[in-house]
Amino acid sequence: MLSIRRRLTVGYIGALALTMLLFGAILYVDRRSASITDLDQRLEVEADLSLRYLQDLYRSFGRLPAVLEGTLEYFKNFRHVLILVSQNGQMVLSNDPTAQIDSAGFERLRERATTGFDDRRVGSLELGPNFTLRFLVVPVRGSDPLLRSMLVAADLREVSFAPAALLRSMLVTAPVVLLVSLLLGYSLAGNSIRPIEQVVGELAAITDGRSLHRRLPVDRRASAEVATLVNAVNGMFARLEQSFAAQQRFVADASHELKTPLMVLRAGVERALTSESGSGGDSLQPLDESLEEVNRMSELVDNLLTLARADEGRAPLAVTECDVRELVSEAAETAHILAEGRNLSVGTVLPDHEVTMLVDRTRIRQLLLNLVTNAVKYSQDGGEVAIELSTAEDQVQLAVRDTGIGIAAGDLPHIFDRFWRADPVRSREGERTGSGLGLAITKWIAEAHGGTITVQSRPGRGTVFTVSLPRAAKLVV
């Protein structure tokens, strides 16, 4: 496989050779055409001079015999071939300074001289290999009436010398020009490819995830294309580094989250097995704790599986048409149950008309429950939780408000990160914190329905989560 450097060199030489060939062909044709035009003009001049000479002889000496006697000596020194033809088509006079035309050749010239003599005309006649005559036929007027036409001809080799010499010169100089161009092209291609080779060398040095923090240097002297390539590669490395870091953090957090319930489960089972009271209350308590941890771990595994399938694009939505008000009412009932005993007021704001749209009922219900559960969990006793459903043009908005302790400004950018949890003081005393996956799943559900989720919060002032869904659902499945 040819390298880019060699391909550029070969392409450059090929393009140069083709250009030289085309230029040479055009120049050769143009010079040859100009030389033939110059020869035609010389034939015109000689024909006019000869015709005037015949006219002068006729006026001075009379008819054909006298004319011919006076012309023989004049045309002996004539430079080009000349033929005079009579009215009956006979050749009256012929002159051949080249001494190369045989009788058959003169006959063919005579035929040209007797055809279409009413006006001047030019043409070419091939009489043999590498022997072509350029001729001009003119009618004879103002001279002996027995004369019909005159033909003046010249060998084309007279005009082909200059173009042929040009062609030979180009053939001699072309190899030298191509050789010099080959060396220059190879050198220029090497200089152009060198920045790419440096980029390849830098890329080869980055062989694992531990080197993704490295970035390729941007040479200001490099071309715009190389600079664009380097910037694109650096951007890719930044995304890869972020993905690797997120993956490592995800694995570490998942391991930590799974380790704790497993240890509790193991301890509870051991206590149940070693309890001396058999099936009494002391044996049931560790089993209840173990069951609670099993449920929590099952929920965690389900959430992890949901996010993993979402990342792979294998979490399809079961879309059906429904009235979103029903889902909000169900979430409000759940909020009332969770708020029992804590003196929390739960309110709902619903439009009077149906809010029908295509959604996955289960996923939207899960989204609302996640938001409602968090709102209740982080609200102080005696606080308020509100669920609002509104429509605006082609958007449906779901808002869950609480009067809890709020979220610090520094924590807001990370609120939807997986396994991320704010300061533990946000939880009520004695209540176990969640796994940190609920809001990540909520964000995925909103985006899978073509919508967005935003959060507004101030410490001590409460939090508002707002989900905006397009009325004409643009589902991401």
Side-chain angles (χ1 to χ4, degrees):
M1 183 179 295
L2 291 177
S3 64
I4 296 180
R5 183 177 187 179
R6 292 184 178 178
R7 288 186 179 183
L8 287 176
T9 304
V10 172
Y12 172 72
I13 294 300
L16 178 61
L18 182 61
T19 302
M20 290 181 60
L21 179 62
L22 183 61
F23 173 75
I26 294 175
L27 185 61
Y28 178 82
V29 171
D30 178 71
R31 289 295 86 205
R32 191 173 187 275
S33 176
S35 299
I36 291 177
T37 301
D38 181 65
L39 178 60
D40 290 342
Q41 292 175 352
R42 295 206 307 267
L43 293 177
E44 288 270 0
V45 172
E46 292 181 354
D48 290 340
L49 289 175
S50 300
L51 187 57
R52 279 198 217 100
Y53 181 71
L54 291 175
Q55 291 171 349
D56 292 341
L57 285 178
Y58 178 73
R59 284 193 295 268
S60 300
F61 299 102
R63 289 189 172 274
L64 181 61
V67 172
L68 291 179
E69 291 176 1
T71 59
L72 289 176
E73 292 298 326
Y74 176 80
F75 288 120
K76 281 182 180 179
N77 298 321
F78 199 70
R79 181 180 177 183
H80 295 136
V81 176
L82 183 138
I83 295 176
L84 284 174
V85 180
S86 64
Q87 292 290 349
N88 58 7
Q90 297 299 319
M91 190 163 51
V92 177
L93 184 144
S94 64
N95 181 66
D96 178 18
T98 66
Q100 294 183 355
I101 304 176
D102 55 12
S103 59
F106 274 112
E107 180 61 24
R108 294 177 64 185
L109 289 173
R110 186 192 65 79
E111 292 176 357
R112 297 297 189 280
T114 57
T115 304
F117 63 90
D118 291 337
D119 199 3
R120 299 190 176 203
R121 61 187 179 88
V122 295
S124 299
L125 178 62
E126 184 177 349
L127 298 180
N130 200 28
F131 182 37
T132 302
L133 291 179
R134 183 73 174 176
F135 64 85
L136 168 67
V137 178
V138 296
V140 178
R141 297 188 181 96
S143 182
D144 193 311
L146 296 178
L147 294 178
R148 178 178 184 178
S149 60
M150 179 173 58
L151 180 144
V152 182
D155 192 347
L156 274 180
R157 284 175 291 187
E158 294 183 20
V159 300
S160 63
F161 174 78
L166 174 65
L167 181 61
R168 285 194 299 270
S169 299
M170 293 187 65
L171 291 177
V172 171
T173 57
V176 179
V177 173
L178 290 177
L179 179 60
V180 174
S181 301
L182 174 65
L183 298 177
L184 291 177
Y186 191 77
S187 176
L188 291 175
N191 293 334
S192 300
I193 296 300
R194 189 168 293 112
I196 299 180
E197 292 176 346
Q198 294 175 355
V199 171
V200 173
E202 292 287 341
L203 290 175
I206 303 175
T207 57
D208 52 37
R210 294 187 297 273
S211 303
L212 292 176
H213 64 281
R214 298 176 56 178
R215 296 294 181 268
L216 302 179
V218 180
D219 191 351
R220 295 182 179 179
R221 297 172 298 176
S223 62
E225 293 80 3
V226 175
T228 302
L229 173 64
V230 171
N231 291 330
V233 172
N234 286 337
M236 181 186 66
F237 280 154
R239 293 189 295 272
L240 287 175
E241 182 183 14
Q242 183 178 3
S243 298
F244 269 83
Q247 181 184 13
Q248 292 172 352
R249 184 171 62 251
F250 179 82
V251 172
D253 291 342
S255 300
H256 175 75
E257 293 295 333
L258 291 174
K259 181 179 179 180
T260 301
L262 286 174
M263 291 179 63
V264 174
L265 179 60
R266 178 181 178 182
V269 173
E270 289 177 349
R271 286 175 56 190
L273 293 176
T274 59
S275 176
E276 297 180 356
S277 57
S279 60
D282 293 337
S283 176
L284 293 177
Q285 183 179 355
L287 290 178
D288 288 339
E289 294 175 354
S290 299
L291 180 60
E292 181 181 352
E293 293 300 327
V294 168
N295 293 333
R296 182 171 178 270
M297 188 166 57
S298 297
E299 180 182 358
L300 175 62
V301 171
D302 289 340
N303 291 339
L304 287 174
L305 183 60
T306 298
L307 290 175
R309 288 177 174 174
D311 291 340
E312 295 178 1
R314 297 190 299 109
L317 302 177
V319 178
T320 57
E321 187 177 64
C322 70
D323 188 354
V324 183
R325 295 183 305 173
E326 300 176 3
L327 303 178
V328 174
S329 298
E330 295 177 6
E333 292 178 3
T334 303
H336 279 290
I337 296 174
L338 295 176
E340 288 181 357
R342 296 189 49 200
N343 195 25
L344 289 175
S345 63
V346 178
T348 58
V349 178
L350 301 176
D352 297 333
H353 56 84
E354 291 186 354
V355 184
T356 304
M357 58 186 301
L358 292 173
V359 295
D360 186 328
R361 296 175 61 96
T362 302
R363 293 301 184 185
I364 296 298
R365 183 183 294 110
Q366 183 180 9
L367 178 147
L368 289 169
L369 290 179
N370 286 342
L371 296 179
V372 167
T373 301
N374 282 345
V376 173
K377 180 187 296 185
Y378 297 119
S379 294
Q380 301 293 338
D381 291 350
E384 297 179 0
V385 174
I387 308 173
E388 299 179 7
L389 173 64
S390 61
T391 58
E393 296 181 357
D394 58 346
Q395 293 283 326
V396 174
Q397 289 189 342
L398 297 167
V400 178
R401 308 173 185 270
D402 65 61
T403 57
I405 59 176
I407 304 172
D411 294 334
L412 284 176
H414 308 286
I415 196 69
F416 296 107
D417 292 348
R418 299 175 186 183
F419 291 112
W420 186 89
R421 287 186 292 254
D423 195 298
V425 300
R426 275 181 49 84
S427 301
R428 291 185 295 112
E429 185 177 357
E431 186 176 83
R432 177 173 294 174
T433 60
S435 63
L437 296 178
L439 289 179
I441 292 177
T442 300
K443 182 174 184 291
W444 166 73
I445 294 174
E447 293 177 348
H449 284 79
T452 58
I453 181 171
T454 58
V455 57
Q456 296 177 345
S457 182
R458 293 179 61 185
R461 299 290 184 88
T463 304
V464 180
F465 285 92
T466 303
V467 178
S468 297
L469 301 176
R471 198 67 177 268
K474 301 177 181 179
L475 304 179
V476 181
V477 295

